[in-house]
Tab-separated table of all heavy atoms in Angstrom:
chain	number	residue	atom	x	y	z
A	149	SER	N	-22.129	26.800	-20.374
A	149	SER	CA	-21.462	26.147	-21.504
A	149	SER	C	-22.117	24.802	-21.799
A	149	SER	O	-22.984	24.323	-21.051
A	149	SER	CB	-19.988	25.915	-21.168
A	149	SER	OG	-19.873	24.860	-20.210
A	150	GLY	N	-21.673	24.218	-22.896
A	150	GLY	CA	-22.004	22.831	-23.119
A	150	GLY	C	-21.299	21.950	-22.101
A	150	GLY	O	-20.358	22.390	-21.421
A	151	ARG	N	-21.735	20.727	-21.982
A	151	ARG	CA	-21.152	19.816	-20.991
A	151	ARG	C	-20.019	19.004	-21.611
A	151	ARG	O	-20.168	18.440	-22.704
A	151	ARG	CB	-22.214	18.886	-20.408
A	151	ARG	CG	-23.255	19.640	-19.600
A	151	ARG	CD	-24.289	18.741	-18.961
A	151	ARG	NE	-25.298	19.547	-18.263
A	151	ARG	CZ	-26.359	19.038	-17.650
A	151	ARG	NH1	-26.554	17.708	-17.644
A	151	ARG	NH2	-27.218	19.829	-17.043
A	152	THR	N	-18.920	18.977	-20.887
A	152	THR	CA	-17.760	18.188	-21.317
A	152	THR	C	-17.878	16.784	-20.748
A	152	THR	O	-17.990	16.621	-19.526
A	152	THR	CB	-16.455	18.835	-20.819
A	152	THR	OG1	-16.354	20.154	-21.351
A	152	THR	CG2	-15.250	18.008	-21.216
A	153	PRO	N	-17.873	15.751	-21.601
A	153	PRO	CA	-17.956	14.386	-21.066
A	153	PRO	C	-16.622	13.938	-20.477
A	153	PRO	O	-15.552	14.303	-20.971
A	153	PRO	CB	-18.328	13.550	-22.289
A	153	PRO	CG	-17.762	14.319	-23.446
A	153	PRO	CD	-17.855	15.774	-23.074
A	154	ILE	N	-16.700	13.162	-19.413
A	154	ILE	CA	-15.516	12.581	-18.773
A	154	ILE	C	-15.761	11.079	-18.654
A	154	ILE	O	-16.700	10.650	-17.969
A	154	ILE	CB	-15.272	13.181	-17.382
A	154	ILE	CG1	-15.117	14.704	-17.480
A	154	ILE	CG2	-14.046	12.553	-16.733
A	154	ILE	CD1	-15.010	15.384	-16.130
A	155	LEU	N	-14.925	10.301	-19.340
A	155	LEU	CA	-15.050	8.849	-19.303
A	155	LEU	C	-14.136	8.294	-18.210
A	155	LEU	O	-12.913	8.484	-18.261
A	155	LEU	CB	-14.679	8.245	-20.652
A	155	LEU	CG	-14.715	6.716	-20.736
A	155	LEU	CD1	-16.131	6.187	-20.521
A	155	LEU	CD2	-14.164	6.237	-22.074
A	156	VAL	N	-14.730	7.621	-17.242
A	156	VAL	CA	-13.977	6.993	-16.155
A	156	VAL	C	-13.895	5.496	-16.455
A	156	VAL	O	-14.921	4.813	-16.524
A	156	VAL	CB	-14.645	7.226	-14.791
A	156	VAL	CG1	-13.848	6.549	-13.680
A	156	VAL	CG2	-14.783	8.713	-14.521
A	157	THR	N	-12.675	5.017	-16.646
A	157	THR	CA	-12.460	3.595	-16.895
A	157	THR	C	-12.029	2.935	-15.591
A	157	THR	O	-11.061	3.377	-14.962
A	157	THR	CB	-11.388	3.378	-17.973
A	157	THR	OG1	-11.810	4.041	-19.172
A	157	THR	CG2	-11.183	1.900	-18.254
A	158	VAL	N	-12.747	1.903	-15.197
A	158	VAL	CA	-12.472	1.215	-13.930
A	158	VAL	C	-11.910	-0.164	-14.252
A	158	VAL	O	-12.592	-0.994	-14.881
A	158	VAL	CB	-13.735	1.094	-13.068
A	158	VAL	CG1	-13.415	0.412	-11.741
A	158	VAL	CG2	-14.338	2.474	-12.824
A	159	THR	N	-10.653	-0.386	-13.866
A	159	THR	CA	-9.998	-1.662	-14.147
A	159	THR	C	-10.044	-2.556	-12.918
A	159	THR	O	-10.023	-2.066	-11.780
A	159	THR	CB	-8.531	-1.446	-14.561
A	159	THR	OG1	-7.845	-0.757	-13.508
A	159	THR	CG2	-8.447	-0.593	-15.811
A	160	PRO	N	-10.093	-3.868	-13.128
A	160	PRO	CA	-10.155	-4.775	-11.969
A	160	PRO	C	-8.825	-4.824	-11.232
A	160	PRO	O	-7.753	-4.749	-11.839
A	160	PRO	CB	-10.492	-6.129	-12.604
A	160	PRO	CG	-10.004	-6.024	-14.016
A	160	PRO	CD	-10.164	-4.585	-14.414
A	161	ALA	N	-8.896	-4.951	-9.931
A	161	ALA	CA	-7.692	-5.130	-9.113
A	161	ALA	C	-7.336	-6.616	-9.075
A	161	ALA	O	-8.212	-7.481	-9.213
A	161	ALA	CB	-7.927	-4.617	-7.697
A	162	PRO	N	-6.050	-6.960	-8.899
A	162	PRO	CA	-5.688	-8.375	-8.753
A	162	PRO	C	-6.365	-8.974	-7.526
A	162	PRO	O	-6.730	-8.266	-6.581
A	162	PRO	CB	-4.159	-8.332	-8.565
A	162	PRO	CG	-3.732	-6.992	-9.081
A	162	PRO	CD	-4.880	-6.067	-8.835
A	163	VAL	N	-6.541	-10.281	-7.554
A	163	VAL	CA	-7.110	-10.963	-6.390
A	163	VAL	C	-6.045	-11.075	-5.305
A	163	VAL	O	-4.865	-10.793	-5.526
A	163	VAL	CB	-7.644	-12.356	-6.763
A	163	VAL	CG1	-8.747	-12.246	-7.805
A	163	VAL	CG2	-6.522	-13.238	-7.305
A	164	VAL	N	-6.482	-11.488	-4.133
A	164	VAL	CA	-5.570	-11.592	-2.989
A	164	VAL	C	-4.439	-12.574	-3.321
A	164	VAL	O	-4.699	-13.688	-3.794
A	164	VAL	CB	-6.339	-12.071	-1.748
A	164	VAL	CG1	-5.402	-12.270	-0.570
A	164	VAL	CG2	-7.416	-11.069	-1.384
A	165	PRO	N	-3.172	-12.198	-3.092
A	165	PRO	CA	-2.065	-13.118	-3.391
A	165	PRO	C	-2.020	-14.278	-2.402
A	165	PRO	O	-2.602	-14.217	-1.309
A	165	PRO	CB	-0.821	-12.229	-3.254
A	165	PRO	CG	-1.238	-11.137	-2.336
A	165	PRO	CD	-2.696	-10.893	-2.611
A	166	LEU	N	-1.306	-15.320	-2.813
A	166	LEU	CA	-1.132	-16.510	-1.982
A	166	LEU	C	0.227	-16.452	-1.297
A	166	LEU	O	1.250	-16.244	-1.945
A	166	LEU	CB	-1.238	-17.774	-2.831
A	166	LEU	CG	-2.529	-17.943	-3.638
A	166	LEU	CD1	-2.458	-19.206	-4.496
A	166	LEU	CD2	-3.742	-17.997	-2.717
A	167	ALA	N	0.227	-16.614	0.022
A	167	ALA	CA	1.480	-16.613	0.784
A	167	ALA	C	1.221	-17.321	2.104
A	167	ALA	O	0.152	-17.162	2.700
A	167	ALA	CB	1.993	-15.202	1.029
Side-chain angles (χ1 to χ4, degrees):
S149 73
R151 294 182 183 177
T152 300
I154 302 174
L155 178 64
V156 179
T157 302
V158 182
T159 58
V163 299
V164 176
L166 304 177

